[in-house]
Amino acid sequence: MRFLHSLLPSILLLGASVAEAATWGFDEAVISVTGKGGAGSAFKDKLSDHVPLAKPVTLGAADSLKIVLSATEDGKAKRPHQAFLLLRDQDTGLEATFPFSVKENGKGKVDFTQKDLPIQLLTSTQPLRATLLLASFGTAQGFSNHVFNLDVQIDSNVPLPKYEAPLRYGQREEINHIFKADPKSGPKIISMFFVLAVLATVPVLFGAWAYLGANLTHLSKAIGAAPISHSLFFGSILSMEGIFFLYYYNWTLFQTLPAAGVVGLVAFLSGSKALSEVQSRRLAGER
């Protein structure tokens, strides 16, 4: 029992020394506020790792705030895994973080202007609470202390940007799609153009027949020799024109293709028979 009582203070002292052995902190931290274009420094001071600045730091509409520091672990310069400046609205609790760009030797820098602040922080009625955060992997205790207050002075002559609520995923209102009806026919101007173009070929066709010596007196002989073939061939031509008209008026492509296939087959078979009859008369010397 006496041995345990004598050992207990040593264990507690050893645990306390281990807990205080490694902590993150910073040295040579300087905060500065410069005007537009970096012409002149409006404010410059050193930051302490345990006492915040006595007066708030003022950030004007055209000013730029910059913090330069050297991060340390257990008093030695080292690059932390995380280094942030956290600004907090003391009324609403809203926060915004600005990461430091830190080199391998622990030298870090962060700078921002009013344009980089969220609109919720720009409209704060109290100075923003600035906290410095340094931490990394391992057993070293992270650093998180209040270092200064930031008083954002907005320009009264410039209107504040409008706040747009972010898009949130969830149930939306039902959308009823209204589709336009399919067009039943083409434009009338184009249709009339092609109709006139087809009709214009009719007199040209009859003129060519007259010029080549078409003989209508053989019509009765041709029909008498092969009435079915000539009738079907001529009828299939008229039927094909009717199918094209129906397709233009209200038929679909799936209605047109089967009908056109049947009529085309009839025209092919009857046309071959009709042309054979014409050939027999030509070979007999009848023109």
Side-chain angles (χ1 to χ4, degrees), residues 208-225:
W209 282 353
Y211 177 77
L212 295 175
N215 191 354
L216 297 179
T217 59
H218 289 182
L219 179 61
S220 58
K221 184 180 293 186
I223 295 176

Side-chain angles (χ1 to χ4, degrees), residues 136-192:
S136 188
F137 300 107
T139 59
Q141 183 179 358
F143 178 86
S144 176
N145 279 356
H146 174 212
V147 289
F148 66 91
N149 291 324
L150 182 63
D151 186 11
V152 181
Q153 298 289 338
I154 60 176
D155 189 355
S156 58
N157 298 323
V158 179
L160 289 174
K162 295 182 179 180
Y163 171 72
E164 296 182 0
L167 178 63
R168 300 187 181 276
Y169 293 97
Q171 185 177 2
R172 309 288 290 182
E173 296 181 359
E174 183 180 0
I175 300 176
N176 296 319
H177 295 280
I178 301 177
F179 298 96
K180 294 183 179 180
D182 295 334
K184 296 182 179 180
S185 59
K188 293 183 178 180
I189 297 177
I190 298 178
S191 301
M192 291 299 298

Side-chain angles (χ1 to χ4, degrees), residues 60-98:
D63 294 340
S64 176
L65 186 146
K66 181 173 68 172
I67 299 177
V68 179
L69 56 78
S70 178
T72 61
E73 182 186 17
D74 197 19
K76 298 180 181 180
K78 189 176 181 180
R79 181 181 181 180
H81 180 253
Q82 294 180 344
F84 294 97
L85 179 69
L86 185 144
L87 299 179
R88 183 175 184 272
D89 188 340
Q90 301 186 57
D91 292 331
T92 62
L94 296 176
E95 298 175 342
T97 56
F98 296 89

Side-chain angles (χ1 to χ4, degrees), residues 6-68:
S6 62
L7 186 61
L8 184 59
S10 301
I11 296 176
L12 294 177
L13 182 60
L14 179 62
S17 61
V18 172
E20 297 177 357
T23 57
W24 281 97
F26 62 85
D27 288 332
E28 303 175 358
V30 177
I31 179 173
S32 61
V33 179
T34 56
K36 186 176 182 180
S41 179
F43 174 82
K44 188 175 183 179
D45 201 351
K46 292 184 178 181
L47 296 177
S48 173
D49 59 354
H50 58 280
V51 179
L53 296 180
K55 295 182 180 181
V57 179
T58 303
L59 180 65
D63 294 340
S64 176
L65 186 146
K66 181 173 68 172
I67 299 177
V68 179

